[in-house]
Amino acid sequence: MNIRFMFALFFLSVGVLSCKKSQATEAGQDTLEEKIVVSFSSQENRLVIGTCYYPWYRKDAHWSGDNLRYNLDPPQPPQLGKYDCMDQVTITQHVQWSVQAGIDFWISSWWGPGGTTDDVILNGQLRNSEFIRRLGYCLLYEPTQGSPINVNDTYIGKFTTDLTYLINNHFKNPNYLKIDNKPVLYMYLTRTMQGNCAKLFGSADSLLRRNGYDGLYVVGDEVYWSQFSEERLQYIEAVTAYNPHVSQSWVSNSSSFIARCISEVYTPWMDIVNRTQKSHWVSVIPGFNDLGVRPAEYHPVIPRGPGSTFSEFLRSVKPVLKRQSSPLKVLVITSWNEWHEDTQIEPTIVISDPTQKPAELTRGNWYYGYGTQYLDTLAIFKQQFNN
């Protein structure tokens, strides 16, 4: 072989290997930079954002005629159509949109071991490379027996069994949200609990400690109108309002609704958590309309406007969040995809003209095919939070 050819081949090989190594290093750096941190200290001075996520949409399940947006004239369906939450393309798109909006974790509705929601999380989301690489999650523990929640030995036994399952199947996952080495469990309607809460949460903490954690980080759905009980604060780490909607006609003026939320509910609760050294996971909704799913109950509508309700709500909660003494601030968006109550921020198709039809569903309010508008608004809010 010609010696000059050999040298040329050698240097060419070195160059190719060097280029591949550089590309691999850059790719590794990108992956490292994009990998979200889902374990926090309560002493971290930062804002994190979670959104309530519903994994119950499976093919035709939950896509029946009770969906408001599909019944508008013209319809304003999700940009992805009637998707399946198990579908990998759907999960990837939801993750990418969430990251685009500055969302750090999903609060995934969970209805028990082996159910539809559990299956989607374990066998759909946690097998999706984008989800694993970029997003955290915790569970929204649903009261399957309804409310009020009777905390008796039967309930405590079921809760303990569920926690054992969660330790083995969810809490150990790197994507599962932990604060101060405590797995986070968001519990719906804790404000309706009646019974032995000391035994319930005491046994839960003991179980978690035996499994290598520092206890269970419970976010209790305690924040609501004219309800300021501190009874359960000794057992839980944080309070929140899943949805501050109330069946009073004045909520249909969104500015009035937001102002009263801040002054009558959120600010008093922030004073309570500051005094008791707890946390307030402050929640925001873009609007509310459940006439598609519960027409007979005729709940008042919180109008969205052209995104104005969401923007105003975010502006209004910013000073409340900044008043919290705990350095770690948490904002919760209700919701990502609760299409039945029309609290979702997940993108719809874009419609050039808004609609008020049919009147029995809109009650004269304008509905917009808003696209990614809510994601863009949320992203700007997070970027500017410390300004």
Side-chain angles (χ1 to χ4, degrees):
M1 183 179 290
N2 185 294
I3 190 69
R4 285 181 295 180
F5 177 75
M6 291 176 64
F7 273 110
L9 184 62
F10 170 77
F11 285 114
L12 178 62
S13 300
V14 170
V16 170
L17 288 173
S18 175
C19 180
K20 286 185 176 180
K21 182 177 180 181
S22 175
Q23 290 173 347
T25 301
E26 290 173 4
Q29 288 174 346
D30 288 345
T31 300
L32 186 63
E33 289 172 0
E34 290 180 341
K35 186 174 182 180
I36 194 166
V37 177
V38 291
S39 181
F40 301 103
S41 164
S42 59
Q43 298 308 304
E44 290 184 57
N45 187 16
R46 62 183 297 177
L47 172 70
V48 294
I49 299 178
T51 186
C52 296
Y53 185 94
Y54 288 87
W56 58 29
Y57 298 99
R58 295 298 311 278
K59 298 177 181 176
D60 293 331
H62 281 268
W63 290 120
S64 58
D66 57 11
N67 184 292
L68 172 74
R69 294 280 169 166
Y70 271 105
N71 288 302
L72 295 178
D73 182 18
Q76 298 174 1
Q79 202 168 113
L80 299 181
K82 294 182 178 180
Y83 55 79
D84 184 336
C85 281
M86 184 68 85
D87 175 63
Q88 290 297 300
V89 174
T90 296
I91 296 169
T92 296
Q93 182 62 80
H94 281 177
V95 171
Q96 291 174 348
W97 274 333
S98 296
V99 173
Q100 169 190 329
I103 292 167
D104 299 284
F105 62 95
W106 290 346
I107 306 169
S108 293
S109 177
W110 188 78
W111 290 83
T116 296
T117 54
D118 191 47
D119 183 39
V120 168
I121 297 167
L122 292 177
N123 298 310
Q125 295 167 4
L126 292 176
R127 295 187 180 184
N128 180 274
S129 59
E130 281 290 281
F131 184 91
I132 292 170
R133 194 166 58 92
R134 308 187 73 181
L135 208 60
Y137 80 104
C138 67
L139 297 180
L140 196 171
Y141 190 78
E142 303 277 5
T144 55
Q145 79 284 16
S147 65
I149 300 170
N150 185 15
V151 184
N152 53 22
D153 286 344
T154 300
Y155 180 87
I156 294 171
K158 180 183 181 302
F159 188 64
T160 302
T161 300
D162 285 347
L163 280 184
T164 301
Y165 177 86
L166 295 179
I167 289 168
N168 293 327
N169 293 277
H170 288 277
F171 294 169
K172 65 182 180 181
N173 193 285
N175 289 77
Y176 199 90
L177 176 66
K178 300 170 187 73
I179 298 177
D180 297 335
N181 194 35
K182 297 179 180 182
V184 175
L185 192 65
Y186 183 119
M187 297 185 69
Y188 184 47
L189 290 179
T190 57
R191 66 178 184 269
T192 72
M193 282 183 165
Q194 303 171 355
N196 198 346
C197 290
K199 182 177 179 181
L200 174 73
F201 293 114
S203 60
D205 276 339
S206 296
L207 177 61
L208 269 291
R209 290 192 182 98
R210 290 196 300 271
N211 284 273
Y213 301 104
D214 291 336
L216 182 66
Y217 191 106
V218 174
V219 182
D221 179 20
E222 298 280 333
V223 178
Y224 203 61
W225 301 89
S226 303
Q227 298 190 33
F228 300 100
S229 172
E230 299 181 32
E231 177 185 355
R232 285 164 294 276
L233 278 185
Q234 58 189 308
Y235 312 121
I236 67 180
E237 300 295 333
V239 298
T240 195
Y242 167 75
N243 186 341
H245 177 274
V246 63
S247 291
Q248 301 290 334
S249 59
W250 50 263
V251 306
S252 294
N253 181 317
S254 58
S255 292
S256 175
F257 166 71
I258 293 168
R260 291 186 64 171
C261 261
I262 301 301
S263 64
E264 298 179 29
V265 184
Y266 287 7
T267 297
W269 265 108
M270 190 60 79
D271 292 339
I272 291 171
V273 300
N274 283 343
R275 174 169 48 78
T276 56
Q277 297 183 309
K278 302 292 182 176
S279 178
H280 182 181
W281 287 27
V282 178
S283 62
V284 169
I285 60 175
F288 180 91
N289 186 338
D290 67 348
L291 292 174
V293 66
R294 306 181 190 99
E297 297 186 26
Y298 209 61
H299 292 145
V301 170
I302 300 174
R304 286 174 170 252
S308 55
T309 299
F310 190 60
S311 298
E312 185 176 355
F313 218 147
L314 287 172
R315 286 194 302 270
S316 298
V317 300
K318 183 175 180 178
V320 179
L321 277 165
K322 286 182 172 291
R323 284 186 62 245
Q324 181 171 278
S325 58
S326 174
L328 185 68
K329 314 292 192 290
V330 184
L331 176 72
V332 175
I333 308 300
T334 304
S335 63
W336 177 262
N337 59 344
E338 225 299 8
W339 292 91
H340 302 296
E341 296 182 347
D342 199 55
T343 62
Q344 78 288 333
I345 62 169
E346 180 187 356
T348 65
I349 63 171
V350 177
I351 299 288
S352 57
D353 296 318
T355 184
Q356 292 176 303
K357 299 176 181 179
E360 63 270 21
L361 292 182
T362 68
R363 295 225 193 138
N365 295 297
W366 290 101
Y367 280 79
Y368 298 75
Y370 53 79
T372 63
Q373 179 181 0
Y374 292 98
L375 309 188
D376 301 336
T377 299
L378 184 58
I380 292 171
F381 173 83
K382 188 173 187 182
Q383 291 166 5
Q384 299 179 347
F385 182 75
N386 290 321
N387 294 346

